[in-house]
Amino acid sequence: MSSIGTGYDLSASTFSPDGRVFQVEYAMKAVENSSTAIGIRCKDGVVFGVEKLILSKLYEQGSNKRIFNVDRHVGMAVAGLLADARSLSEVAREEASNFRSNYGHNIPLKYLSERVAMYVHAYTLYSAVRPFGCSFILGSYDQDDGPQLYMVDPSGISFGYWGCAIGKAKQAAKTEIEKLQMKDMTCRELVKEVAKIIYIVHDEVKDKAFELELSWVGEVTNGKHELVPKDIRVEAEKYAKVSLNFKTDSTTDQGGFPMPCKQG
Amino acid sequence: MCLQESLSNVSLYLMCLYLHFTHRYYVSSKTINKLIQVHDRIFCCIAGSLADAQAVTKAAKFQISFHSIQMESPPLVKAAASVLKELCYNNKEELQAGFITAGWDRKKGPQVYTVALGGMLLSQPFTIGGSGSTYIYGYADAKYKPDMSREECLQFATNALALAMGRDNVSGGVAHLVVITEEGVEHVVIPGDKLPKFHDE
C-alpha cells in the first residue's frame, strides 16, 4: 500500500528522486485515518457534516467538536490530527480578526483560505517542523458574494468546491455528492442529504457508534455560521435512516415469489 | 487653511477641494493639490499638517494597492478608509492629519467617510472639513438634499466652496472638484475669479 521512502522521507526538506515530498504524503495519510467530514455548497448556503466516531461510552455528547467557528460568517470542518486542526482554527480566527481590524469588513473566504493555506504550506518547507496532519473545509456565506466553499490539505493548496469530502470514506462520499444537484437545492433540503451521505459512508462493521455533527451557514441563518438546531438535525437523521433502510431492502433478493396484485 | 467637501449621491460622488496652503500669514501656494488619488475610484481630501497628510496617504496608497491585488478586485471604499484610520489611530501622538475618503465601489456604490484627527472613522452622506468649513455648516445643512443629480451636486459644492472662500481669510485660490462614477473620474478646476459671486462684501 504505502511505498517506503528509503531515506528520502526523513524530513520535509528533502525531495525523493521521483519528485515527491514523502513527509507531506504521510501527513495526508494521517488525514485518511480519521473519520469522514463533508461540506456541500448549495444555492443559498453551505452545509457541513462530520461523522464523529464514539470511542468510549463515557464521552459527553456534543463534546470533541470537529466543526469550528472561525468568524461570524465562516465555519471550518476538519479531519486528521485534531490537535493540529485546533491550532489551525486559531490561526484562521486571527487572520479573519486582523482583516476586519485593518479593512473594516468581513474577510472574503477565498482570501482567508489562501492565507491559511500559505501558513500550512510554510510547515512543509523545513526539517525542523513537521507538516500539519489535517485537512479542513472552510465555508462561508456573504450577502454579495453568496455561499463559498474551500478545502485546504496538508500540502498547503486550497481549492474552491461545490462539494468535497475528507477522511477515510472520502471516495465513497464524493461519489454520493456527485449524484446531487446542489446548485438547485436550498440549505434545508441539503441538510437532509448531508446526513444521508454520512450515514451511507459510515462503516458499521469497522466503526460501531458515531455521532453526527451538522452545521450550516447561509440565508437560513442570516449569514451566521452555527450548528444545525436539534429538531432539524433529528429530522435529517430520521430521513437518513429511512433512506438507508429503503436502500438495504431494495438490494436484498426476495426470491421468485409472485406478488399478489389486485385487479378491478 | 482649506475647505473640503464631499457628497455622496445615487450614482456619483463628488469631492471638491480648495487649493491654498498658508504658513501663518504667508501664503505658500495657491495651487497645491489636496485631492490625492489612493486608488482608481477612491480619492482622499487631506487637511491638517500637509506633511503628515502626504506621508500617511503615501503609505495608505501602497497598502490599498497591495490589498487590492491580493483580493483580485478593486478595494472597497470602506477598506481604504479603514487603512487610513488605522494609520491615524495607531500614530495619533505623532500625526496631525484628517481626511475625507470617498469613492465608488461595486458593493455599496458611492460612499463618503470621514477620518478625524485622532482616528475616528464615520460614514456620512456628505461631509465638510477644513478651516473654511466652519462658515458653511448652515449652508450645507440647509441646501443638501439626498439623490441630487450630477449638476445639482456640482452646483452645491461650488457654491459652498465659494461662500467659504469668501469669508475665510486663510482659504482661497483655486477650487478643485473631482467627480467619481463607475465609469471613471473627472476633474473640474475653477479658478477663484470664476467662482459664483455672493453678497459677502
Side-chain angles (χ1 to χ4, degrees):
Chain A
M1 188 184 74
S2 58
S3 46
I4 301 166
T6 13
Y8 299 111
D9 61 346
L10 295 174
S11 85
S13 64
T14 313
F15 274 106
S16 74
D18 49 348
R20 296 151 74 176
V21 181
F22 280 105
Q23 278 297 308
V24 173
E25 292 186 22
Y26 296 162
M28 298 204 223
K29 293 256 171 59
V31 177
E32 276 163 37
N33 287 338
S34 132
S35 62
T36 321
I38 64 174
I40 308 185
R41 169 185 164 188
C42 60
K43 75 175 176 209
D44 66 349
V46 169
V47 179
F48 289 128
V50 178
E51 172 203 10
K52 260 190 334 195
L53 298 179
I54 298 175
L55 299 168
S56 157
K57 288 207 179 94
L58 299 171
Y59 270 175
E60 185 188 343
Q61 200 198 36
S63 74
N64 215 39
K65 281 187 183 317
R66 299 250 317 256
I67 300 182
F68 303 100
N69 240 331
V70 166
D71 199 351
R72 186 187 178 273
H73 65 305
V74 179
M76 173 169 158
V78 305
L81 299 178
L82 284 191
D84 289 8
R86 286 195 189 118
S87 138
L88 280 172
S89 78
E90 268 308 302
V91 168
R93 282 169 183 158
E94 273 171 35
E95 279 292 332
S97 169
N98 284 337
F99 185 94
R100 181 177 273 109
S101 170
N102 286 330
Y103 302 109
H105 65 96
N106 287 349
I107 188 168
L109 194 68
K110 179 163 191 277
Y111 182 68
L112 174 64
S113 72
E114 277 170 13
R115 294 285 297 180
V116 187
M118 219 191 302
Y119 187 90
V120 169
H121 169 251
Y123 280 71
T124 66
L125 297 168
Y126 311 106
S127 58
V129 292
R130 65 162 175 80
F132 284 95
C134 65
S135 287
F136 50 95
I137 312 175
L138 290 162
S140 85
Y141 179 78
D142 179 63
Q143 200 68 5
D144 303 286
D145 304 322
Q148 302 281 321
L149 185 70
Y150 281 84
M151 199 257 281
V152 178
D153 69 10
S155 66
I157 50 172
S158 88
F159 283 119
Y161 290 91
W162 277 95
C164 63
I166 50 180
K168 58 171 66 147
K170 72 173 189 211
Q171 278 306 117
K174 273 201 189 115
T175 321
E176 292 301 318
I177 293 172
E178 277 166 17
K179 294 179 189 164
L180 295 175
Q181 298 290 334
M182 66 277 285
K183 295 184 192 179
D184 305 318
M185 294 169 86
T186 65
C187 268
R188 285 192 194 276
E189 295 160 5
L190 191 57
V191 163
K192 298 203 279 231
E193 297 300 326
V194 166
K196 181 175 150 195
I197 293 174
I198 295 285
Y199 270 82
I200 290 174
V201 305
H202 171 67
D203 190 342
E204 269 299 324
V205 176
K206 282 200 197 135
D207 317 306
K208 300 290 163 48
F210 81 102
E211 190 187 327
L212 173 63
E213 199 173 331
L214 280 174
S215 81
W216 58 2
V217 58
E219 244 181 86
V220 64
T221 64
N222 224 356
K224 179 170 185 271
H225 174 257
E226 54 191 26
L227 289 177
V228 167
K230 186 164 180 205
D231 51 343
I232 301 182
R233 181 169 54 81
V234 162
E235 196 193 312
E237 286 189 289
K238 211 190 308 182
Y239 170 85
K241 284 176 188 157
V242 163
S243 308
L244 213 59
N245 290 337
F246 187 74
K247 197 176 169 188
T248 46
D249 277 349
S250 65
T251 53
T252 52
D253 195 26
Q254 292 287 347
F257 286 92
M259 293 296 287
C261 56
K262 288 182 186 149
Q263 283 185 341
Chain B
M1 246 199 301
C2 75
L3 160 70
Q4 317 154 6
E5 192 183 286
S6 304
L7 307 165
S8 171
N9 192 309
V10 174
S11 67
L12 70 80
Y13 137 84
L14 179 107
M15 298 184 83
C16 40
L17 211 37
Y18 217 76
L19 302 169
H20 213 208
F21 181 57
T22 64
H23 183 68
R24 299 240 179 89
Y25 307 114
Y26 168 68
V27 177
S28 310
S29 164
K30 281 193 197 171
T31 54
I32 83 153
N33 180 27
K34 286 185 192 159
L35 271 176
I36 317 270
Q37 181 164 24
V38 291
H39 206 263
D40 292 352
R41 297 280 183 279
I42 307 178
F43 274 74
C44 241
C45 303
I46 57 180
S49 153
L50 289 194
D52 286 349
Q54 282 182 352
V56 170
T57 47
K58 205 169 185 181
K61 194 171 176 180
F62 163 72
Q63 282 187 30
I64 293 162
S65 143
F66 191 70
H67 171 68
S68 160
I69 288 176
Q70 281 186 316
M71 293 289 119
E72 291 172 7
S73 73
L76 299 182
V77 185
K78 187 164 195 196
S82 294
V83 166
L84 277 159
K85 176 263 290 174
E86 281 291 296
L87 286 164
C88 288
Y89 182 74
N90 291 331
N91 298 297
K92 61 161 80 182
E93 275 81 41
E94 284 91 17
L95 294 173
Q96 232 192 23
F99 306 89
I100 297 178
T101 311
W104 181 93
D105 66 47
R106 207 175 45 91
K107 209 166 174 176
K108 271 174 140 176
Q111 296 146 73
V112 172
Y113 294 89
T114 314
V115 179
L117 238 52
M120 173 192 78
L121 174 62
L122 196 55
S123 166
Q124 296 173 297
F126 80 99
T127 187
I128 57 177
S131 64
S133 69
T134 52
Y135 303 101
I136 53 164
Y137 271 102
Y139 177 80
D141 289 345
K143 285 293 179 180
Y144 172 77
K145 49 188 203 316
D147 299 332
M148 283 192 269
S149 71
R150 183 182 177 279
E151 282 61 40
E152 286 176 309
C153 243
L154 273 165
Q155 194 58 52
F156 172 61
T158 317
N159 286 351
L161 280 176
L163 285 164
M165 279 152 84
R167 287 292 179 181
D168 187 20
N169 60 337
V170 292
S171 293
V174 181
H176 184 182
L177 294 91
V178 172
V179 182
I180 306 177
T181 59
E182 182 182 353
E183 285 78 51
V185 162
E186 188 198 327
H187 293 261
V188 177
V189 179
I190 308 175
D193 50 353
K194 301 277 191 321
L195 283 170
K197 303 253 184 304
F198 292 96
H199 308 285
D200 54 3
E201 268 123 50

